[in-house]
Amino acid sequence: MQEHVDYINIARQVFSHKTYRRIVILVVFVILVLSVYMFITNVRIEDVLKADKSLLLIAITLTVLANFIDAFRLMVLAFSVGYKMRFIDALRARLMGNIIALATPSSIGGEPARALILSSYGIDIVKAAIITLFEDYWDIVIVNVPAFILALTRLPLSIIIVLTSLYNITVWNILFFAPRVEKLRLLLEKLYECSKGIVHTIVGVIIRAIKSVNTIVDSARPGKIFIPVLVLTIIKYVVMVMVFFLAALSVERVDLTQSFEALLFYNAMGVIPTPGASGGLEYGLSLILKPIQVVMIRVVVFATTLVIGLPLLINYLRRMSME
């Protein structure tokens, strides 16, 4: 199938000799942006070091737990396309995919990376693609819909959140539902025929993506996984709200409502095309929290993701280079 070839080529481009360089750029860029943010907002390193270590330890533990929940959800999705995954394999795919997502603009490398990793465990590459696409669809819709609604109440400062959340909702719903809407499909094809230049290229990419997604979605059994995936996704975000709450509370008083809003805005800004979405994430968090709380959340989430995922990724890249 052409979908197999296209997706394998995309996925392999994510893992290349440039991967190490991307990770170095990611770490340097995140540190640089956080340093500039701390300088502009007068956050002192001494105040950061005074954070409640016990609360930070719990926040880090919960961040790891959220990854375990993601891994279990990945197992459920794999089952929906006819595969029984080991939990450890699902966890490895999640942790390594998170690093690649951080290291690529707008996190675009996360899905192909996870799909290629899953294929190395015996899952067909196209069926691996459906798993990663369903993962992202649930994460994006569940977070961005309330983010969009809440951002409307904080205009004009939240205008970027409004735009990014609306973009996320629109693009992902087009990908999943356009193949079922005949008029929309025909409209895109007509636009492709009439357009030129960059518009022609973009519309062509969208049409090919929709066709591939349609092939993938048709091979799934979403009815059997709707409830468990929904429940696991909600549980994960409840855990992440607690991560934000505890990381922020380690330096300043905060309530759960603020933590919930901060999480929504944080995820809505993940589409920003910078390494680790740096700059965008700080902006989203700053609409709700104090600067020092923003720094603590960024450090906890980023550092935990890097520490638990990077060793696995380095080992995987070494094995790939030997094959």
Side-chain angles (χ1 to χ4, degrees):
M1 290 176 63
Q2 183 62 36
E3 287 83 2
H4 286 71
V5 177
D6 290 344
Y7 210 84
I8 289 172
N9 289 336
I10 293 170
R12 283 178 176 167
Q13 288 175 22
V14 174
F15 293 108
S16 67
H17 64 281
K18 297 180 181 179
T19 301
Y20 289 112
R21 187 173 70 182
R22 290 194 189 106
I23 293 171
V24 172
I25 292 172
L26 164 69
V27 175
V28 171
F29 193 79
V30 170
I31 293 173
L32 177 62
V33 169
L34 270 179
S35 299
V36 172
Y37 178 83
M38 290 173 67
F39 176 78
I40 293 173
T41 58
N42 296 316
V43 174
R44 298 182 304 170
I45 190 67
E46 309 93 81
D47 296 329
V48 172
L49 294 175
K50 290 178 183 177
D52 188 316
K53 305 302 187 296
S54 60
L55 292 178
L56 290 179
L57 181 60
I58 298 172
I60 291 169
T61 303
L62 289 176
T63 305
V64 175
L65 175 61
N67 282 279
F68 276 63
I69 295 170
D70 270 337
F72 188 69
R73 185 181 63 174
L74 190 55
M75 290 176 61
V76 173
L77 287 165
F79 177 75
S80 75
V81 293
Y83 290 90
K84 291 183 178 180
M85 284 191 71
R86 296 189 307 165
F87 177 78
I88 189 64
D89 292 337
L91 184 60
R92 286 181 184 135
R94 281 298 317 180
L95 296 179
M96 288 189 280
N98 289 343
I99 301 294
I100 296 296
L102 287 173
T104 49
S106 302
S107 300
I108 58 174
E111 298 79 26
R114 291 200 304 277
L116 189 61
I117 293 166
L118 291 174
S119 71
S120 70
Y121 299 137
I123 299 178
D124 174 82
I125 188 68
V126 173
K127 290 187 176 182
I130 183 180
I131 295 172
T132 60
L133 288 169
F134 270 130
E135 277 188 297
D136 282 352
Y137 180 80
W138 280 101
D139 283 336
I140 287 168
V141 172
I142 280 182
V143 170
N144 280 273
V145 170
F148 174 74
I149 295 170
L150 285 172
L152 291 176
T153 68
R154 291 181 175 270
L155 289 170
L157 293 178
S158 61
I159 183 61
I160 299 178
I161 303 288
V162 171
L163 295 175
T164 55
S165 57
L166 183 61
Y167 167 83
N168 289 332
I169 295 165
T170 302
V171 167
W172 280 88
N173 277 294
I174 285 176
L175 270 177
F176 271 84
F177 297 111
R180 271 70 177 167
V181 182
E182 185 67 16
K183 289 183 179 180
L184 180 57
R185 184 181 63 79
L186 293 174
L187 178 63
L188 286 171
E189 290 178 355
K190 188 69 175 178
L191 180 60
Y192 178 74
E193 294 173 1
C194 299
S195 60
K196 296 180 180 180
I198 187 65
V199 175
H200 181 81
T201 302
I202 292 173
V203 174
V205 169
I206 292 173
I207 289 173
R208 288 194 296 275
I210 286 173
K211 288 180 179 178
S212 294
V213 170
N214 193 32
T215 301
I216 293 168
V217 171
D218 285 342
S219 69
R221 303 193 295 271
K224 294 186 177 182
I225 60 169
F226 179 85
I227 297 300
V229 169
L230 175 62
V231 170
L232 287 169
T233 304
I234 292 173
I235 291 173
K236 182 193 71 171
Y237 281 114
V238 169
V239 171
M240 287 306 299
V241 168
M242 292 306 301
V243 169
F244 278 43
F245 173 71
L246 293 170
L249 186 62
S250 70
V251 286
E252 292 276 358
R253 291 185 63 180
V254 67
D255 59 49
L256 284 172
T257 302
Q258 290 175 300
S259 303
F260 174 67
E261 290 186 76
L263 176 69
L264 295 180
F265 288 0
Y266 175 94
N267 281 278
M269 291 303 297
V271 71
I272 297 299
T274 58
S278 293
L281 299 184
E282 285 78 8
Y283 157 76
L285 292 171
S286 296
L287 293 175
I288 309 296
L289 303 172
K290 295 178 181 179
I292 192 169
Q293 293 173 321
V294 172
V295 172
M296 296 313 302
I297 289 172
R298 288 289 282 130
V299 169
V300 166
V301 176
F302 179 75
T304 304
T305 302
L306 202 64
V307 168
I308 63 178
L310 190 56
L312 293 171
L313 180 60
I314 291 173
N315 183 55
Y316 182 82
L317 291 171
R318 283 177 178 170
R319 286 193 289 109
M320 282 190 66
S321 64
M322 295 172 62
E323 293 176 355

